[in-house]
Amino acid sequence: NLGTLQVDPNTAAVTIEGASASKTYDGTALATNEVASFTGLPAGFTVELAAAGNRTDVGNSENTVSGYTIKSMYGDDATKFFTNVTVVPGTLTVDPAELTVTTQGAEKVFDGTPLKNDNGEVAGLVNGETATVVPNGSQTEVGTSSNGYSMQWGTAKSGNYKIVSET
């Protein structure tokens, strides 16, 4: 009589966590297919995963895992032999890029007409995006005031930037 050898599916709890990633806004998509961690697999086993998440604009979103493969210590696909797998998504975070806005000053002797300077610049736009500084300051009477401005967001989205310096 020969005995029977039987290997049953592994029902131990396995948790696979997709990676989180972050960057400063640069106009390109943020994505990662890395595994942040996994638990519950036998020694020598590894995990490969595919993530469906990506983020271009400022904010947070899930790095959803769209598929995974559990590899044995020999590199073989052992995914179907694990029946209790939980997948946890990572988080993708894009932070705003920093802008510097400059408006030019001017000076004159009082003559009763408004003093204006329509020259302004913005520095820090990325990936060929455009925005225009529109100075709107005016000083008629003796004294000083700031040459304020408004922004005209051409191809750039205002939410992808933060103004960190105004001069």
Side-chain angles (χ1 to χ4, degrees):
N1 279 346
L2 297 177
T4 301
L5 301 175
Q6 180 174 329
V7 177
D8 294 322
N10 190 323
T11 60
V14 174
T15 302
I16 300 169
E17 183 176 345
S20 294
S22 64
K23 71 173 185 173
T24 299
Y25 175 77
D26 65 3
T28 64
L30 171 63
T32 179
N33 284 327
E34 295 180 20
V35 177
S37 65
F38 57 88
T39 58
L41 292 175
F45 279 59
T46 60
V47 175
E48 295 175 358
L49 64 80
N54 71 67
R55 179 152 200 101
T56 301
D57 290 331
V58 168
N60 299 307
S61 60
E62 281 191 353
N63 188 23
T64 306
V65 176
S66 60
Y68 61 88
T69 304
I70 299 172
K71 298 278 188 150
S72 75
M73 63 195 77
Y74 306 109
D76 300 323
D77 183 351
T79 307
K80 66 182 177 184
F81 304 122
F82 292 86
T83 61
N84 187 11
V85 178
T86 301
V87 177
V88 179
T91 302
L92 300 175
T93 302
V94 177
D95 297 316
E98 297 182 347
L99 294 181
T100 299
V101 173
T102 304
T103 60
Q104 303 298 316
E107 186 174 341
K108 73 174 188 172
V109 174
F110 176 78
D111 65 2
T113 63
L115 172 64
K116 296 181 177 191
N117 188 327
D118 293 332
N119 296 313
E121 298 175 358
V122 60
L125 293 166
V126 300
N127 205 27
E129 294 180 347
T130 61
T132 304
V133 176
V134 180
N136 56 21
S138 179
Q139 182 71 31
T140 303
E141 297 185 10
V142 173
T144 62
S145 61
S146 295
N147 191 10
Y149 66 93
S150 62
M151 292 290 293
Q152 290 180 348
W153 297 97
T155 60
K157 295 179 183 175
S158 64
N160 288 329
Y161 295 93
K162 68 178 176 181
I163 298 170
V164 295
S165 178
E166 297 174 315
T167 57

